[in-house]
Amino acid sequence: MLLLGLSSCAHKAFYYPDRADYGSPAQNGLRYEPVTFHSADGTALSGWFLPAVGKAKGTVVHFHGNAQNVSSHYALVQWLPENGYNVFTFDYRGFGTSEGKVGFAGIVADADAALNHVRAMPEVDATRLFVLAQSIGGNKAIAAIGRGNRDGIRALVVDSTFYGYDAIANDKFKGASVLVNDGLSAHRYIAAISPIPLLMLHGTADEVIPYAHGERLFEQAREPKQFIAVKNGQH
């Protein structure tokens, strides 16, 4: 029982969601539509669809990073509609107005549900999808796509993610890796992304996820791939 309790605490340490409202795209003059969809287990999830200005070149599915919720992360992709791309950004279970409780397997199921929902949207060309995944969202996207949810995805961009749950847990708390389920870690699925083009970015001064995680993960990816080191870049 003690081991199970410690494992549960270790898992919770990965996620820092909240349900606060940090604003909406409308406050920055952007059009958007609230979206509700469901994960495989019926959990109701919420997101936003931001249509492209003019004819869409494609649709970017945004997997946001840890902490807070989509209303604090959308600013990282708000430049895309003006440049001709639809944006679909959403909250994992337990984040924002999405129902449920956070958890490794549940959030990967949410990633699958988001990709499936976007493909079914009438305003989206399901053959022109691009995935932009940041921080912990990178592990979710890599697991979902690497396990086979890849139809219509033209490219994957991963910004500052970690090698695996056990590796980052051990970085933060020595020995904590034994308490973490590593089955859905990025390093297990990164090679399966190919032949979808992969772009990875990581700041050399990242204080949250050490730069070495990005390098190590990139080594296991297959072509076509590219790595951009952002000199002195932080998380």
Side-chain angles (χ1 to χ4, degrees):
M1 289 296 293
L2 177 60
L3 183 60
L4 288 173
L6 289 172
S7 179
S8 176
C9 289
H11 286 205
K12 290 178 182 177
F14 279 100
Y15 303 109
Y16 303 95
D18 70 22
R19 299 190 181 277
D21 182 355
Y22 297 95
S24 76
Q27 292 174 307
N28 291 310
L30 296 172
R31 291 191 299 132
Y32 80 105
E33 304 165 12
V35 177
T36 300
F37 60 105
H38 292 84
S39 197
D41 64 357
T43 300
L45 307 174
S46 60
W48 292 338
F49 180 76
L50 286 68
V53 176
K55 185 177 180 179
K57 302 173 185 176
T59 299
V60 175
V61 185
H62 178 224
F63 291 70
H64 70 66
N66 205 351
Q68 299 174 329
N69 60 69
V70 71
S71 68
S72 64
H73 286 276
Y74 81 90
L76 297 170
V77 291
Q78 67 179 0
W79 56 277
L80 285 164
E82 187 176 346
N83 286 275
Y85 291 91
N86 301 321
V87 173
F88 183 87
T89 184
F90 69 102
D91 269 326
Y92 318 113
R93 62 184 60 209
F95 285 75
T97 58
S98 289
E99 296 179 352
K101 295 181 179 180
V102 296
F104 292 171
I107 290 182
V108 173
D110 298 346
D112 280 324
L115 291 170
N116 295 338
H117 182 81
V118 171
R119 290 189 188 99
M121 295 180 71
E123 56 269 72
V124 167
D125 181 347
T127 69
R128 296 191 60 81
L129 304 181
F130 303 88
V131 174
L132 171 57
Q134 298 178 302
S135 191
I136 204 167
N139 259 260
K140 308 307 179 186
I142 291 168
I145 298 169
R147 295 195 308 169
N149 197 333
R150 57 200 299 122
D151 290 350
I153 298 176
R154 297 295 188 93
L156 168 62
V157 180
V158 177
D159 176 10
S160 308
T161 200
F162 49 88
Y163 182 80
Y165 295 103
D166 58 345
I168 194 67
N170 207 48
D171 278 357
K172 303 301 181 182
F173 308 101
K174 206 66 175 176
S177 59
V178 299
L179 302 175
V180 177
N181 183 342
D182 195 45
L184 292 170
S185 284
H187 68 85
R188 296 184 180 274
Y189 298 98
I190 190 73
I193 297 299
S194 177
I196 295 173
L198 171 68
L199 172 63
M200 291 183 63
L201 307 91
H202 212 117
T204 61
D206 193 325
E207 73 288 2
V208 177
I209 299 174
Y211 176 75
H213 278 257
E215 285 189 312
R216 189 179 172 197
L217 187 60
F218 183 74
E219 286 176 3
Q220 292 197 208
R222 295 174 181 164
E223 297 289 350
K225 63 180 183 177
Q226 182 180 358
F227 188 89
I228 296 178
V230 181
K231 188 176 181 180
N232 298 322
Q234 297 183 343
H235 195 64

